[in-house]
Amino acid sequence: MTEAAELPPAPEHAREVFGDRFADAVRYAELLAEAGVQRGLIGPREVPRLWERHLLNCAVLSEVVPEGVTVCDVGSGAGLPGIPLALVREDLKITLLEPLLRRTTFLTEVVELLGLDHVTVVRGRAEEVMGKITPVHVVTARAVAPLDRLATWGIPLLRPYGEMLALKGDTAEEELKSATTALSKLGAVETSILHVGEGVVDPLSTVVRVEVGESPGGVRFAAKRAKAARTGRARRRR
């Protein structure tokens, strides 16, 4: 059996980024390195680079998230980027959306252990929860799927004039170019590639920003959204 990799000490930048929540960030890193690996949520090879590649890489997303908004982290997995974002931004109301039970169980344990009262865990697929969760200002995602497919899941969860922020790697420009038509059909009105984390992570974290107009999801999802809203109202009257 391969010996478990050891979690390295937190880099000095982590204290600056997480501030008063630094101790909670350390505990989260320990949970990922232990229970996260044991439950198959992350690979053991990721443990030595948990801080730079995962926690800090996700936490710097906060640089481009507006103040006091609602956020849905689609395909949250082990809580990336949702948990690091929640640790540095207590002004946000964050929903961690994840379809797999073993992952939502882990997320619920982390949220309770770290006292993240502004975070809610929801089990389900993005296409299943439309109309069941209130549309949000911002959808976040990381390494969930290619941008065009990710957009079909995330954009319909946005409120009008919201935005999707997707953490991507070297393929960001290529993915954005190939997804242009699909994004337009989904109601996107503006796209851009941002680089965040100056002085914290190297290389910088790459974020694809997709801003929508008054009809998130476009015509294709307008009828679905209206039907889901009617169904929700009917259930509440019962």
Side-chain angles (χ1 to χ4, degrees), residues 161-162 183-184 186-191 210-214:
Y161 307 104
L183 292 174
S184 180
L186 287 166
V189 296
E190 188 81 30
T191 61
V210 179
E211 300 171 71
V212 300
E214 62 182 14

Side-chain angles (χ1 to χ4, degrees), residues 43-128:
R45 292 182 180 180
E46 296 303 311
V47 174
R49 50 186 184 178
L50 265 178
W51 283 105
E52 286 82 1
R53 185 180 174 89
H54 298 288
L55 273 76
L56 290 172
N57 177 271
C58 290
V60 296
L61 181 63
S62 65
E63 294 177 18
V64 291
V65 177
E67 289 187 18
V69 298
T70 53
V71 178
C72 182
D73 188 31
V74 173
S76 197
L80 301 164
I83 296 292
L85 183 61
L87 287 170
V88 298
R89 294 287 301 277
E90 295 190 42
D91 60 300
L92 306 175
K93 295 292 184 184
I94 300 177
T95 298
L96 306 179
L97 181 62
E98 169 57 47
L100 296 184
L101 178 60
R102 62 188 171 90
R103 293 177 180 170
T104 54
T105 299
F106 175 78
L107 292 174
T108 299
E109 292 171 1
V110 171
V111 167
E112 292 178 353
L113 182 64
L114 302 185
L116 298 174
D117 298 334
H118 57 305
V119 178
T120 302
V121 178
V122 174
R123 184 185 176 197
R125 299 183 183 280
E127 57 270 31
E128 297 170 345

Side-chain angles (χ1 to χ4, degrees), residues 110-211:
V110 171
V111 167
E112 292 178 353
L113 182 64
L114 302 185
L116 298 174
D117 298 334
H118 57 305
V119 178
T120 302
V121 178
V122 174
R123 184 185 176 197
R125 299 183 183 280
E127 57 270 31
E128 297 170 345
V129 301
M130 190 190 308
K132 297 178 183 177
I133 64 173
T134 304
V136 296
H137 297 91
V138 177
V139 161
T140 59
R142 177 178 187 254
V144 176
L147 187 61
D148 54 352
R149 199 187 322 159
L150 174 60
T152 65
W153 301 336
I155 288 181
L157 300 178
L158 290 169
R159 58 186 292 167
Y161 307 104
E163 60 185 342
M164 183 176 73
L165 299 172
L167 278 163
K168 289 288 183 178
D170 298 336
T171 63
E173 286 193 32
E174 182 182 331
E175 285 192 48
L176 183 54
K177 186 176 180 180
S178 63
T180 299
T181 301
L183 292 174
S184 180
K185 290 180 179 178
L186 287 166
V189 296
E190 188 81 30
T191 61
S192 54
I193 294 178
L194 312 172
H195 298 284
V196 295
E198 182 73 44
V200 177
V201 291
D202 184 18
L204 298 178
S205 297
T206 301
V207 181
V208 176
R209 171 186 268 161
V210 179
E211 300 171 71

Side-chain angles (χ1 to χ4, degrees), residues 27-39:
R27 185 65 186 120
Y28 177 51
E30 292 170 347
L31 289 167
L32 286 174
E34 297 162 6
V37 172
Q38 293 165 8
R39 301 185 196 183

